[in-house]
Amino acid sequence: MSARSWSRAILTILTAALVSSAATAGLSDPFPIRNHLPFHLLFLDIRPAAAAPITARGWRIAMLLTYENTLAASDDLVRVYGQDNFGMYGGVVTPPVLASVAAANADGTAYIVDSESSRLMVDASIGLRPWLEIGLQVPFVAHGTGFMDSFIDSYHDQLNLPDGGRVVFAQDRFQAGYVGDGAMVFMDAPPAPGIGDVVVRGRALVRRPAAGKTGMSAGLDLKLPTGDPERLHGSGSVDLGVTLSIGRNFRRSSLNGGAGYTHVGAWKIAPALPVEDSAGAYVAWGFAATPGTSVIGQVLVSSGAFPRRSGSDIGRAASGIAIGLRQRNRGGLEFEYGILESLDNLHNTPDVGFFFGLSRRHGP
């Protein structure tokens, strides 16, 4: 083979490698999915992200839909309804029952969240500098009675899995109630859907990931009170959060992690409730199975803004897992989809959920 032929062959290989690298860039990033318990959605919380922000002249726009089934209740409420066995209450929680259970609790709290909730989010980001990215997240929130309760109960029963007290409550209903610290909130009919709290975020590069090096970025998030607190679309207050993301890229995979701290404002419909600043952390692994497809798994732990009580789970750290795929077609569109599941038996996370995403990114 002549020198010119060798040069052409080497150039072809290098070009193919660069094209393959560009095709897989971003495919192994973490799923941008946060804790979706309806009460937790009221406040700003940590959301996984890759270590490297979008570079200058780059942009990304995405639509993410998350649908989750939740039946979470305080331990004492589960015990009362388990003893009742549908005899008096019929599995339906009422404000007097919730108040009486709270009064009998040493902490004076009780809660229930029974809902199937969807959250459609438009997420747009742009790189202003090689080291600076800004973004805007606009969610649309809907809570309803749902249809998955019987399927989930049967699934838990057949596999002999813990059900978290689900079977003692009536199926396919919407109920959201909290009693404690002089506050009482109760809804027994799905609120009308609407816009949630908009989040403005910025991320600055500390160190860009490179071969054999760990990248790092710092972020600042500002949640604005655009959602109606009466419909569980937002808290009605401003929240401010800081995050730190780290990541390392390997030949066909990437490992990302991060932690965050959020200062939350009051819950406007329950101003007496002493909400607390929250913290969270995540770890995510992505593997490029093909140049256009990555398998992603991640774990997220978040404390939430509700007070920690010895007899109530809602204020304890909640953990969940997400597993799914992200694919990119030849036109540059990215599709992502997967399943969400709780990792523990505490009553403060959705039972099961699904997410779907469509996005497009551009830039160097």
Side-chain angles (χ1 to χ4, degrees):
M1 183 180 290
S2 67
R4 179 175 295 181
S5 297
W6 276 109
S7 299
R8 288 178 179 175
I10 294 173
L11 181 61
T12 300
I13 293 172
L14 290 175
T15 302
L18 289 173
V19 171
S20 176
S21 176
T24 57
L27 275 180
S28 298
D29 290 353
F31 290 126
I33 300 170
R34 50 158 296 170
N35 187 317
H36 272 256
L37 186 77
F39 278 163
H40 286 177
L41 283 177
L42 303 172
F43 305 93
L44 181 66
D45 203 357
I46 187 172
R47 197 185 74 150
I54 296 173
T55 57
R57 303 185 306 280
W59 53 263
R60 180 178 185 268
I61 185 167
M63 295 186 67
L64 278 173
L65 173 65
T66 305
Y67 188 91
E68 295 196 276
N69 177 287
T70 301
L71 205 166
S74 52
D75 295 339
D76 289 342
L77 190 66
V78 172
R79 282 193 288 269
V80 168
Y81 276 73
Q83 296 169 355
D84 175 69
N85 197 25
F86 291 91
M88 180 184 302
Y89 305 125
V92 178
V93 179
T94 62
V97 173
L98 192 66
S100 66
V101 171
N105 189 320
D107 295 322
T109 63
Y111 70 92
I112 182 170
V113 182
D114 186 358
S115 170
E116 284 188 17
S117 302
S118 59
R119 190 170 185 258
L120 176 65
M121 185 174 69
V122 179
D123 185 359
S125 300
I126 186 171
L128 297 183
R129 295 286 188 273
W131 53 271
L132 179 63
E133 165 196 328
I134 62 170
L136 182 69
Q137 301 162 15
V138 182
F140 185 84
V141 183
H143 302 294
T145 58
F147 61 92
M148 296 172 60
D149 283 347
S150 58
F151 167 77
I152 295 174
D153 292 348
S154 175
Y155 166 78
H156 285 166
D157 183 59
Q158 291 179 8
L159 296 183
N160 196 29
L161 297 174
D163 57 28
R166 295 179 56 93
V167 295
V168 303
F169 298 102
Q171 293 183 342
D172 300 329
R173 295 182 61 91
F174 174 86
Q175 294 191 313
Y178 181 89
V179 176
D181 301 289
M184 181 168 185
V185 175
F186 194 88
M187 301 180 184
D188 59 0
I195 298 294
D197 283 350
V198 170
V199 175
V200 180
R201 67 184 317 214
R203 292 206 298 149
L205 182 68
V206 178
R207 185 171 67 178
R208 187 171 296 281
K213 294 184 179 180
T214 300
M216 182 181 300
S217 64
L220 184 66
D221 295 356
L222 177 67
K223 183 181 76 70
L224 305 175
T226 54
D228 186 353
E230 299 286 345
R231 297 180 180 179
L232 294 184
H233 295 162
S235 65
S237 298
V238 172
D239 297 346
L240 183 65
V242 294
T243 59
L244 182 67
S245 301
I246 60 174
R248 188 158 185 166
N249 297 325
F250 304 94
R251 190 172 67 89
R252 294 182 60 184
S253 63
S254 65
L255 183 65
N256 289 275
Y261 181 86
T262 303
H263 175 68
V264 300
W267 188 12
K268 288 299 185 181
I269 62 174
L273 180 67
V275 293
E276 299 179 349
D277 292 350
S278 63
Y282 66 89
V283 61
W285 176 79
F287 174 74
T290 71
T293 304
S294 284
V295 181
I296 300 170
Q298 66 189 48
V299 175
L300 173 66
V301 180
S302 175
S303 65
F306 283 80
R308 296 164 180 80
R309 308 298 190 201
S310 60
S312 177
D313 285 336
I314 196 170
R316 301 177 190 173
S319 58
I321 187 171
I323 300 176
L325 298 175
R326 181 180 287 124
Q327 296 178 305
R328 182 182 297 156
N329 66 16
R330 292 184 178 180
L333 286 177
E334 293 180 6
F335 303 87
E336 53 190 344
Y337 36 87
I339 187 170
L340 311 174
E341 180 63 77
S342 172
L343 275 181
D344 53 42
N345 59 359
L346 297 178
H347 306 153
N348 60 359
T349 55
D351 293 288
V352 66
F354 306 92
F355 66 92
F356 309 89
L358 174 64
S359 62
R360 180 70 180 267
R361 71 177 75 212
H362 172 78

